[in-house]
Amino acid sequence: MGSKRKAAVTFSAALALALPAAAQTPADNSSVIDLDVTAKRLDAARSTIQPSLGATTYSFSKKTVDAIPQGDQAPLNEVLLRAPGVAQDSFGQVHVRGDHANLQYRLDGVQLPETLSLFSQSLATQFAHNLSLMTGALPAQYGFRQAGVVDITLKSGTTDPGAEAAVTTGSLDYKQTALTYGGRSGVFDYFATGQFLHSGVGIENPTSSYTPLHDDTDQWHALGKVTAIIDENTRLSFIAGGASARFQIPNNPNQPTNFTVNGTSIQNSGNLDQRQWEDTYFGIASLQKHYGAGDFQLSAFTTYSTLSYKPDTFGDLAFNGIAPWSSRMSLTNGLQGDGSWKATPTHTLRAGFLAQRERATSLTNAQVLPVDGTGAPTTDQAMNIVNGADQVGWLYGIYLQDEWKLTPTVTVNYGARFDAVDGNTQENQLSPRLNVVWQPNPILTAHLGYARYFTPPPLAQVNNGAIASTIGTTAAPALQQNDPVKAERADYFDGGFSLKPLPGLTLGFDAYYKIAQNLLDEGQFGAPIVLSSFNYANAQVKGIELSGSYDDGPWSLYANAAWSEAKGSTINSAQFNFQPAELAFIAQNYIYLDNNQSWTGSGGASYTFNQSSDWATRVSADVIVGSGLRATVTTPNDTALPTYVTANLSVAQKIAIKGTRGTQIRFDAINLFDHSYQLRDGSGVGVGAPQFGQRRTFLVSLSQKF
């Protein structure tokens, strides 16, 4: 405790020395520096450092988020499903434009490293003041993870002042509490938020039953942010947050056992007790500076992530032939710098870098059964095997680009970035980027772009030593081949337009085509610990997206539809995860990727009665549509699961209570018509278990602002 207090005092003293005299005075001296104006100007400057020029950006306004079930208490993946081209998968995953993962998350312009979270969300919708998803041919400042950029501008004491408490309860033992508090004191702006959730459905149900077996979860999310305006052109910010989740692995009853253990082969799969723990913590410190025609932001970041799995000792052995106690850890530290300079009235130069170091460790202590040369167990008494890894990897990226106002209606954004990875693989690439935007009038905006992408694989991989330790046991793979996972390299073409024919109405069209070598994919192999990466030697991904929104007065409407086709051939890394016949077929044929969903759609409508009143009532409804992910019947991923449609309904009522800033009670019905639909059937390349979508859920919440 003493050392922490000393550090805090030292920081306060250092900050006091750094602040000019005017900034150190009480809040009533704010006339010297107009803090509101300065904060807004610096926010605008930060957005110009990293623009989305030429990319396709889908924004979620506060009004949009409030209208979906649970509002800003909804999981982040549920919000993203309302964007075009985003497909739903199990474990709370989403797929953007045919990619399995490959999403980049940014907080106030800073790119967060990947975490080990599989079932949980590291970030919460409640953190966001503004939220958007950027796709397409991205400008040069966006590297490493490029299927989509989830850009989050965090809440602050200025944008979201005061305190708010919310409580939600409902079906399937759902209980959630949330608190936020923000404000300002002189040059300091502060904001903190946290939420706790308990639910009887932590992971998708492996059966179609309404109530899953053994599926409880407890989760919390928290974030704190403090900023200090040093002078009219300088701002410091500190962000810290985390998430922790505990999961029971849901059971699929009446499954046959595969092995005899300790003299018995009788085991009820409905009584298994498997559990998983996931924790993520992150911190960011940023310095933002405006000088003349230039702006820059320099940030240091750190992320610590852990994952642990506890098996059902007897059950995992009887069904899978291995009962692994496994743990993984990832610690990442890095620096990111981004800057812009308006060199001339027609040229804005941007440059930046990112460098990060990650240390990833894994340890598995497993019980297995020994086998003979035919693969038959030689005894029903378990033996231990231990394997682990301790790896260090580096990522480096640097970019330079020019936004050139070629004519009053045409803007060209061209540049390049150089990326390198030094970890499980040592590779690098120079990647040119080009976007052209044409805006002949306020109604029409058209864009055309090309991007060369370089996507390194995640550091956490199964190594050769792990395979060697399983030889001669029930955990041994059918193949031992394990070529290293490589970085994906791709050419990405994108074009489209948006129309604003009427006030509040926006229509959009976009088409994309991606040609990839060593396309990265992920699969669940064995115990539900992490998704393991592998490559398709060649792949093609293409699609189109249609979008429309109308927001005017009490009405808010949106509709999206997307078609996608993602195919790959020849698995050329981590081959031990697959069966020989599967590998042989894929080597000779292009197959659909397991995460391919041909058609995806979403749409919703919201109307607010007495909009300007303290007693406003909002009624909203939306639908999510999917044509089904892939499954295997005869050849790998040769069929799609059935199409599904889920409808949701929300009603929110404001209540004016004297002495408070407002009260709201809301009712949410998720999957209103209780449609039972399957996300996965347990078959397909890299698919480990069946999962069904969430059944009908009723939720009631009460929120109070102070």
Side-chain angles (χ1 to χ4, degrees), residues 621-633:
D622 68 2
V623 295
I624 302 292
V625 182
S627 62
L629 299 171
R630 307 304 296 186
T632 295
V633 175

Side-chain angles (χ1 to χ4, degrees), residues 204-226:
E204 287 81 7
N205 193 347
T207 75
S208 60
S209 65
Y210 181 81
T211 305
L213 295 174
H214 192 262
D215 200 11
D216 285 0
T217 183
D218 291 300
Q219 306 176 30
W220 64 258
H221 293 81
L223 179 132
K225 174 182 174 182
V226 177

Side-chain angles (χ1 to χ4, degrees), residues 608-668:
T608 304
F609 298 90
N610 304 316
Q611 187 177 23
S612 59
S613 166
D614 292 336
W615 293 85
T617 305
R618 183 183 62 247
V619 179
S620 57
D622 68 2
V623 295
I624 302 292
V625 182
S627 62
L629 299 171
R630 307 304 296 186
T632 295
V633 175
T634 304
T635 58
N637 298 344
D638 60 353
T639 190
L641 292 172
T643 297
Y644 62 87
V645 179
T646 61
N648 312 291
L649 176 69
S650 296
V651 180
Q653 175 65 58
K654 288 185 177 180
I655 302 172
I657 298 179
K658 188 175 181 180
T660 72
R661 295 196 302 125
T663 304
Q664 178 178 271
I665 185 169
R666 68 179 292 158
F667 169 79
D668 295 305

Side-chain angles (χ1 to χ4, degrees), residues 354-663:
L354 185 146
Q356 72 176 46
R357 177 188 186 273
E358 179 183 6
R359 181 186 179 189
T361 64
S362 63
L363 177 64
T364 299
N365 188 338
Q367 287 194 328
V368 296
L369 298 173
V371 299
D372 58 22
T374 67
T378 58
T379 177
D380 61 4
Q381 302 298 309
M383 60 178 285
N384 281 350
I385 59 173
V386 178
N387 61 70
D390 189 344
Q391 306 174 87
V392 173
W394 289 83
L395 290 179
Y396 309 94
I398 187 170
Y399 69 89
L400 176 65
Q401 65 183 9
D402 176 25
E403 180 183 326
W404 178 18
K405 194 76 171 177
L406 185 62
T407 72
T409 62
V410 178
T411 302
V412 180
N413 195 32
Y414 64 96
R417 62 177 297 122
F418 177 79
D419 296 310
V421 56
D422 183 5
N424 289 324
T425 182
Q426 291 78 39
E427 301 179 68
N428 59 72
Q429 179 176 287
L430 180 64
S431 305
R433 308 281 176 92
L434 174 65
N435 290 97
V436 180
V437 178
W438 176 50
Q439 190 174 15
N441 53 58
I443 296 175
L444 172 65
T445 301
H447 68 271
L448 186 66
Y450 164 78
R452 178 69 172 164
Y453 286 153
F454 177 79
T455 307
L459 183 64
Q461 303 285 340
V462 177
N463 60 16
N464 289 317
I467 298 174
S469 67
T470 66
I471 303 304
T473 75
T474 47
L479 292 173
Q480 297 183 37
Q481 186 177 0
N482 184 25
D483 291 333
V485 181
K486 310 169 189 67
E488 177 184 317
R489 303 168 187 267
D491 295 287
Y492 198 102
F493 305 88
D494 179 270
F497 61 85
S498 66
L499 294 170
K500 296 183 178 180
L502 297 171
L505 177 62
T506 302
L507 304 173
F509 170 83
D510 210 71
Y512 59 91
Y513 184 57
K514 171 182 171 181
I515 306 170
Q517 300 79 45
N518 300 321
L519 179 134
L520 279 170
D521 201 349
E522 296 176 337
Q524 180 200 349
F525 306 102
I529 297 296
V530 293
L531 296 176
S532 299
S533 296
F534 61 94
N535 297 107
Y536 286 93
N538 298 287
Q540 297 180 6
V541 183
K542 55 188 175 183
I544 58 174
E545 296 173 354
L546 297 169
S547 63
S549 65
Y550 178 75
D551 198 341
D552 187 56
W555 283 103
S556 182
L557 304 93
Y558 78 95
N560 304 305
W563 172 82
S564 175
E565 183 182 82
K567 290 185 172 182
S569 71
T570 309
I571 293 174
N572 60 351
S573 64
Q575 296 91 338
F576 70 94
N577 287 308
F578 305 91
Q579 295 300 314
E582 193 174 40
L583 284 176
F585 183 88
I586 299 171
Q588 299 296 322
N589 300 274
Y590 270 86
I591 68 166
Y592 285 101
L593 305 187
D594 73 281
N595 51 272
N596 182 86
Q597 181 164 268
S598 296
W599 288 97
T600 301
S602 61
S606 172
Y607 185 83
T608 304
F609 298 90
N610 304 316
Q611 187 177 23
S612 59
S613 166
D614 292 336
W615 293 85
T617 305
R618 183 183 62 247
V619 179
S620 57
D622 68 2
V623 295
I624 302 292
V625 182
S627 62
L629 299 171
R630 307 304 296 186
T632 295
V633 175
T634 304
T635 58
N637 298 344
D638 60 353
T639 190
L641 292 172
T643 297
Y644 62 87
V645 179
T646 61
N648 312 291
L649 176 69
S650 296
V651 180
Q653 175 65 58
K654 288 185 177 180
I655 302 172
I657 298 179
K658 188 175 181 180
T660 72
R661 295 196 302 125
T663 304

